[in-house]
Amino acid sequence: MEKKEEICKKTQKLFVERGYDNTPMSFIAEELGLSKGGLFHYYKTKEELLYDIITNLMERNYVPLLENAREINDPKQRIIYFIRNYTKLMANDNAAKIVVHEAQRLYPVHAEEVRKIWRQTFELLSDSLSEMQRSGECKQLNSKFGAFAIIGMCSWIFYWFDYSRKESVQELSDTFVEILLKGFDTMDGSDVAD
Amino acid sequence: MEKKEEICKKTQKLFVERGYDNTPMSFIAEELGLSKGGLFHYYKTKEELLYDIITNLMERNYVPLLENAREINDPKQRIIYFIRNYTKLMANDNAAKIVVHEAQRLYPVHAEEVRKIWRQTFELLSDSLSEMQRSGECKQLNSKFGAFAIIGMCSWIFYWFDYSRKESVQELSDTFVEILLKGFDTMDGSDVAD
């Protein structure tokens, strides 16, 4: 069991650096100091390895975030909690790339498990926005589009963030909360042109 | 030349439906009613074909959007124009998936050409936000993060948008302009908690 954890940890690093497609099992074995047969003893296919890595990341990071958010009664504070902590999750660990980008390589039955968690995330956000709308705290926009606006802005981080500059994570999460809740604008008037 | 256009057009559709990795040259030839040698006469490698498809899409859609935005003097109207039309571009044509997602498969020298256009897009947005900040129209947030917030929210569309529901494109673009400029919030007070 410990050996599998070690294999996952090191392979995760290789997938982030080289991409899943560009990292054959023979290369993984070599980097781990194992024979191909030795690696095969623990993982029969590269997909199994990817599945274990993604499952570990989801269970360690994403599921607790979702559960903590669910426990917050006030929908606005729930949304703010999610934006802040999902942004930090994406910016603190470049393994986010594997979860968001490489999950499409999973076999359909495994991909479905991951999609289920994303679906719950989406529902948490769109339900929270709807709840805010009922109490007049959120404007009357399409709450599904609003939920995807949050997920998109934050998930995109792995495409551009400089992971050597961790000191800016707090500023990034403050900025994204501010933009999503209140926008760029300093004006009160409605001058959004067509 | 006409034949190459036809090949690109049909292959683009295959790449959207099946993904680049999952579409071998032999399959493309078959779908086009060509022999492998016949396809090879026009395109020596799959990468060449991807490069032509992406270059066509960039020149037809993305570069004009960037050029039109640049001609708008007022930085706020420039930002609004970009959000509105980039959203429409992403939601009107699912070929956006190839430009955003498959460009990583290009050879480095080709990928660099695409990256150059994204860099110009990023600079247009962050410069516009800085300009708005100088005239007091945008709050004092990190304009680089602001630019990536726009690009991320809009680029994410291809991951979730239902391309069979084109009638919602206008609502989506209105919603994204509203969120980015003014946020979800209906309140004036500053109650964004830590």
Side-chain angles (χ1 to χ4, degrees), chain A residues 21 76-77 84 101 104-105 136 139 142 148 160 177-178 180-186 189 191-193, chain B residues 21 76-77 84 101 104-105 136 139 148 160 171 177-178 180-186 189 191-193:
Chain A
D21 288 328
K76 185 170 178 178
Q77 293 309 322
R84 195 174 291 287
H101 204 69
Q104 53 171 332
R105 304 281 169 220
K139 41 183 77 131
N142 185 314
F148 282 123
W160 62 269
V177 169
E178 180 68 25
L180 285 161
L181 270 284
K182 294 174 183 296
F184 293 125
D185 215 332
T186 50
D191 52 355
V192 176
Chain B
D21 288 328
K76 185 170 176 178
Q77 293 309 321
R84 196 174 290 287
H101 203 69
Q104 52 171 334
R105 304 281 170 220
K139 43 184 74 131
F148 282 122
W160 62 269
E171 184 191 359
V177 169
E178 180 69 24
L180 285 162
L181 270 284
K182 293 173 183 296
F184 293 125
D185 215 331
T186 51
D191 53 355
V192 175

Side-chain angles (χ1 to χ4, degrees), chain A residues 15 21 33 37-38 40 49 91 99 103 113 132 148 153 173:
Chain A
F15 285 169
D21 288 328
F40 187 77
L49 195 42
V99 175
E113 288 179 32
M132 281 169 69
F148 282 123
M153 188 187 287
S173 96

Side-chain angles (χ1 to χ4, degrees), chain A residues 4 8 22 36 39 47-48 64 72 123-124 135-136 159 164:
Chain A
K4 282 188 117 176
C8 279
N22 204 27
K36 264 195 95 166
L39 178 56
E47 195 271 350
E48 258 180 60
I72 298 171
E123 278 161 14
L124 175 96
S135 64
Y159 273 117
S164 67

Side-chain angles (χ1 to χ4, degrees), chain B residues 79-163:
Chain B
I79 290 266
I80 291 170
Y81 176 88
F82 180 87
I83 299 168
R84 196 174 290 287
N85 289 284
Y86 184 55
T87 299
K88 287 183 179 172
L89 197 55
M90 296 296 296
N92 268 320
D93 184 1
N94 60 8
K97 186 182 169 185
I98 300 177
V99 175
V100 177
H101 203 69
E102 307 285 21
Q104 52 171 334
R105 304 281 170 220
L106 293 173
Y107 295 148
V109 58
H110 292 157
E112 181 52 31
E113 287 177 34
V114 177
R115 254 199 301 276
K116 199 178 148 193
I117 297 173
W118 290 123
R119 213 151 37 221
Q120 288 170 354
T121 307
F122 165 74
E123 278 161 15
L124 175 96
L125 295 173
S126 68
D127 289 352
S128 300
L129 289 173
S130 298
E131 210 180 323
M132 282 168 69
Q133 285 173 333
R134 283 192 296 276
S135 64
E137 283 181 301
C138 175
K139 43 184 74 131
Q140 297 300 319
L141 42 76
N142 185 315
S143 61
K144 289 181 170 48
F145 293 167
F148 282 122
I150 298 173
I151 295 172
M153 188 188 288
C154 302
S155 300
W156 200 252
I157 289 171
F158 82 88
Y159 273 116
W160 62 269
F161 191 68
D162 178 355
Y163 284 92

